[in-house]
């Protein structure tokens, strides 16, 4: 069997798996490109802005604002309505998520939110958001 | 080198057909596709043996061109099965024009069929299998009801930035229904009012079930040939004056700006190739998967300024008798939507230019625009069409 790979050095785990492993450990990370300094999300093996090699995984401030919002309607017996939002982090990147801890109908565009990692027992960690209330906003 | 300007009008649509639109229980996707294909080839005054180019795509089968070639008994020298979602069949135009211009082939059949409404293997199974075959690991965990949630998110942003209202969105659905009531082929032809839309079951705020396209069966096909050959065929040729495709993203969360789609690029390039402007267009067919689409595409294609789509459609402005005829067959909202609608927008544009619109005919239409959308506002393909006098 021949290998066409240009290197025999074993490559590490892919960035999706490493990002997920951090989430599973309760840490939410984004990427920042070492060449153009722009923030990147979702994580990739190259910078989508300048094409540079894999941006480093870094901790964001964790704060941002709701950029777009919808309430998915679901029968009460199936769990009821739930929020789906696109959140824009203060670093400038956006991601799909949920704003929790308040009625879905009350989630508004512009609402200041803070990230929180949820790791269900035996499941994969995901990042959700809570409204920032009072002086913390 | 052949420039895009040189390709302007070089090919023409010589035959079109739809088949099985609405409900066609007991049929496969392929059977519906093949019947539409046979009828489109016949409409063009050609025989199946004349077809030496094939463009097709499927929402589920990844090697779809091969079973289609096999089923139809073709030996094509040109094959394009690029899958960009619902815009695919408009996106197939430009490469097909290049293949015709180079002599690689002489008659291209573009065809699609889906028994999505009545099939036993339906949307539920397709959505479930996509989680494995076509993962979106950064969106799926939040359980967006796709594609609806993506369009709802875009609508929320349009309302926030520009003051667009649910009434503005409802205008689009009401206009589509008014056109559908003039089209015997349309699936939903009952009267529909603004209040009906506003009071309809909410699915993903701000979009109700009446802001959402139908789920029907149906097939569409058309035949593209060089313009000189089209002149010798029985139907009045409908020339492709300009066409372009643009993609900026797949996921709604990766869209650069939820109120501006890649239709801005596809439209600009298609109009530049055609040497025309939006004000030159007599009839407009836009992929209306959801009501918000029509506002976004009217803006991005230049029929009105960004943010003014809501004001543009108010008061029945795109309904029969309005200032601009849009989605004259009733669109995906009220006529037909078998998974991917783009080919039906193009076929309706051709029918209008041929004067075959019956009660819904736009008098004296010489130019038309057909626009396809795919994914979740992801792929955009625009075609500017015209009769011979527009060459």
């Amino acid at each position: 069997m021949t290998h066409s790979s240009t290197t025999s050095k074993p490559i590490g785990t892919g960035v999706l798996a490493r990002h997920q492993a951090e989430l599973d450990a309760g840490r939410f990370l984004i990427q920042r490109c070492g060449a153009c300094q722009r923030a990147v999300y979702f994580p990739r093996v190259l910078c989508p802005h300048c094409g540079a090699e894999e941006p480093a995984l870094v901790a964001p401030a964790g704060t941002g604002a709701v950029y777009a919002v919808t309430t998915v309607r679901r029968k009460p017996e199936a769990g009821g309505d739930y929020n789906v939002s696109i959140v824009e982090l203060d670093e400038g990147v956006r991601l799909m998520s949920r704003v929790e801890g308040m009625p879905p109908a009350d989630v508004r565009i512009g609402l200041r939110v803070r990230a929180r990692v949820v790791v269900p027992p035996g499941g994969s960690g995901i990042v959700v958001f809570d409204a920032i209330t009072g002086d913390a906003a | 080198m052949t420039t895009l300007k040189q390709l302007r009008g070089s090919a023409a649509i010589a035959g079109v057909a739809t088949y099985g639109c609405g409900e066609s229980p007991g049929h496969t996707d392929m059977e519906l596709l093949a019947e539409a294909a046979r009828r489109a080839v016949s409409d063009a005054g050609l025989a199946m043996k004349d077809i030496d180019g094939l463009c097709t795509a499927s929402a589920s089968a990844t090697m779809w061109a091969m079973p289609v070639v096999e089923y139809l008994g073709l030996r094509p020298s040109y094959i394009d099965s690029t899958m960009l979602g619902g815009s695919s069949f408009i996106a197939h135009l430009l490469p097909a024009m290049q293949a015709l211009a180079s002599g690689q082939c002489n008659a291209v059949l573009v065809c699609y069929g889906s028994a999505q409404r009545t099939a036993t293997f339906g949307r539920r199974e397709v959505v479930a299998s996509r989680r494995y075959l076509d993962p979106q690991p950064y969106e799926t965990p939040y359980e967006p009801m796709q594609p609806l949630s993506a369009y709802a998110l875009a609508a929320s942003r349009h309302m926030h930035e520009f003051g667009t209202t649910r009434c503005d969105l409802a205008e689009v659905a009401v206009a589509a229904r008014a056109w559908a009531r003039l089209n015997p082929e349309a699936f939903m032809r009952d009267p529909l009012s603004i209040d009906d839309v506003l009071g309809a079951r909410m699915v993903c705020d701000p979009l109700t079930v009446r802001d959402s396209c139908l789920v029907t069966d149906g097939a569409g096909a058309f035949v593209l040939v060089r313009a000189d050959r089209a002149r010798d065929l029985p139907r009045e040729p409908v020339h492709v004056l300009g066409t372009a495709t643009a993609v900026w993203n797949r996921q709604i969360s990766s869209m650069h700006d939820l109120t501006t789609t890649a239709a801005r690029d596809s439209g600009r390039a298609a109009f530049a190739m055609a040497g025309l402007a939006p004000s030159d267009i007599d009839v407009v067919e836009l992929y209306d998967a959801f009501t918000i689409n029509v506002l976004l595409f009217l803006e991005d294609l230049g029929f009105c300024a960004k943010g003014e789509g809501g004001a543009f459609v108010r008061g029945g402005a795109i309904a029969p008798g309005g200032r601009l005829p849009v989605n004259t067959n009733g669109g995906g909202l009220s006529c037909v939507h078998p998974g991917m609608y783009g080919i039906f927008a193009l076929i309706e544009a051709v029918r209008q230019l041929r004067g075959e619109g019956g009660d819904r005919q736009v008098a004296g239409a010489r130019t038309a625009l057909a626009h396809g959308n795919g994914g979740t506002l992801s792929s955009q393909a625009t075609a500017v069409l015209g009769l011979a006098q527009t060459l």
Side-chain angles (χ1 to χ4, degrees):
Chain A
M1 192 171 164
T2 54
H3 294 273
S4 59
S5 170
T6 54
T7 172
S8 58
K9 192 174 121 188
I11 57 172
T13 306
V15 69
L16 187 152
R18 280 181 279 123
H19 175 262
Q20 187 61 52
E22 293 288 338
L23 277 174
D24 294 347
R27 291 183 293 272
F28 169 48
L29 301 180
I30 64 171
Q31 286 179 307
R32 186 167 297 279
C33 176
C36 74
Q37 302 303 318
R38 291 183 67 175
V40 175
Y41 200 84
F42 54 94
R44 295 163 226 206
V45 302
L46 79 173
C47 175
H49 303 295
C50 73
E53 64 184 0
E54 185 178 306
L57 285 166
V58 297
T63 48
V66 173
Y67 177 80
V69 62
T70 186
T71 300
V72 179
R73 301 298 185 103
R74 184 172 57 178
K75 291 181 179 135
E77 59 269 30
D81 300 345
Y82 59 97
N83 167 263
V84 172
S85 290
I86 294 176
V87 172
E88 184 167 289
L89 298 180
D90 292 339
E91 287 78 7
V93 292
R94 293 188 209 127
L95 68 156
M96 183 173 281
S97 188
R98 271 200 300 274
V99 177
E100 299 194 333
M102 61 193 295
D106 293 347
V107 180
R108 296 271 182 268
I109 290 175
L111 179 74
R112 292 288 297 165
V113 291
R114 185 187 309 281
R116 170 168 57 90
V117 176
V118 177
V119 187
S124 296
I126 63 168
V127 59
V128 298
F129 287 83
D130 299 306
I132 298 173
T133 51
D135 294 339
Chain B
M1 189 182 78
T2 307
T3 66
L4 293 176
K5 278 280 188 190
Q6 287 168 331
L7 285 176
R8 179 193 190 273
S10 66
I13 297 166
V16 298
T18 53
Y19 180 74
C21 294
E23 290 185 333
S24 296
H27 287 79
T28 65
D29 294 356
M30 187 68 83
E31 287 167 348
L32 298 177
L33 174 151
E35 190 58 44
R38 191 185 67 76
R39 290 173 185 226
V41 171
S42 173
D43 185 58
L46 297 172
M48 268 296 174
K49 65 176 170 47
D50 298 318
I51 299 299
D52 57 1
L54 175 73
C55 303
T56 190
S58 158
S60 50
T62 56
M63 294 187 255
W64 186 239
M66 293 182 283
V68 173
V69 165
E70 176 183 278
Y71 196 101
L72 299 179
L74 302 176
R75 295 289 184 274
S77 53
Y78 173 72
I79 302 163
D80 180 5
S81 199
T82 304
M83 172 55 180
L84 294 172
S87 69
S88 299
F89 314 95
I90 295 175
H92 290 155
L93 279 173
L94 187 57
M97 292 172 81
Q98 291 166 331
L100 287 164
S102 72
Q104 184 182 351
C105 61
N106 297 301
V108 179
L109 169 67
V110 184
C111 50
Y112 172 67
S114 170
Q116 184 191 60
R117 183 180 179 86
T118 57
T120 50
F121 181 86
R123 277 194 68 222
R124 188 182 304 274
E125 289 83 0
V126 169
V127 168
S129 61
R130 282 222 184 102
R131 286 194 174 205
Y132 299 97
L133 300 175
D134 187 17
Q136 293 183 277
Y138 298 97
E139 291 198 343
T140 303
Y142 303 103
E143 300 180 61
M145 186 194 290
Q146 298 292 39
L148 195 63
S149 293
Y151 292 85
L153 288 163
S156 80
R157 194 69 205 172
H158 204 275
M159 293 167 85
H160 174 79
E161 286 191 28
F162 306 118
T164 305
T165 67
R166 284 190 58 211
C167 275
D168 298 335
L169 297 173
E171 284 274 4
V172 173
V174 168
R177 184 61 60 85
W179 284 111
R181 287 171 60 74
L182 304 174
N183 179 9
E185 195 177 37
F187 188 63
M188 295 196 77
R189 304 186 65 201
D190 295 335
L192 185 75
S193 69
I194 299 282
D195 284 342
D196 291 338
V197 180
L198 296 179
R201 178 171 60 88
M202 188 62 77
V203 188
C204 281
D205 297 62
L207 302 181
T208 71
V209 66
R210 291 278 81 84
D211 288 285
S212 310
C213 62
L214 307 171
V215 176
T216 69
D217 299 332
F222 65 90
V223 177
L224 192 73
V225 297
R226 281 184 293 276
D228 55 352
R229 190 170 188 209
R231 277 194 290 275
D232 299 329
L233 295 175
R235 299 295 188 181
E236 183 169 16
V238 172
H239 296 265
V240 184
L241 303 177
T243 183
T245 299
V247 178
W248 293 345
N249 62 286
R250 161 70 189 277
Q251 303 176 105
I252 195 74
S253 53
S254 291
M255 198 165 165
H256 306 199
D257 167 354
L258 261 60
T259 63
T260 302
T261 74
R264 197 187 65 187
D265 280 357
S266 68
R268 193 180 287 157
F271 277 121
M273 180 174 163
L276 295 176
S279 57
D280 298 316
I281 301 298
D282 296 325
V283 57
V284 177
E285 310 294 344
L286 306 174
Y287 192 144
D288 54 343
F290 301 93
T291 49
I292 184 65
N293 295 39
V294 171
L295 304 189
L296 290 170
F297 299 152
L298 285 171
E299 295 169 1
D300 292 338
L301 296 171
F303 290 96
C304 63
K306 180 48 65 184
E308 293 178 5
F312 186 88
V313 302
R314 261 170 231 159
I318 61 171
R323 79 167 103 161
L324 182 70
V326 175
N327 295 352
T328 51
N329 59 346
L333 290 167
S334 281
C335 180
V336 60
H337 192 284
M340 299 198 283
Y341 172 77
I343 199 166
F344 299 92
L346 193 78
I347 290 168
E348 174 64 9
V350 170
R351 286 175 169 165
Q352 286 287 342
L353 293 178
R354 287 175 170 186
E356 296 171 354
D359 291 343
R360 68 185 191 282
Q361 179 63 42
V362 175
R366 297 161 62 248
T367 58
L369 178 143
H371 181 79
N373 163 76
T376 48
L377 290 171
S378 316
S379 71
Q380 307 295 332
T382 311
V384 176
L385 309 174
L387 296 175
Q389 67 255 43
T390 65
L391 286 173

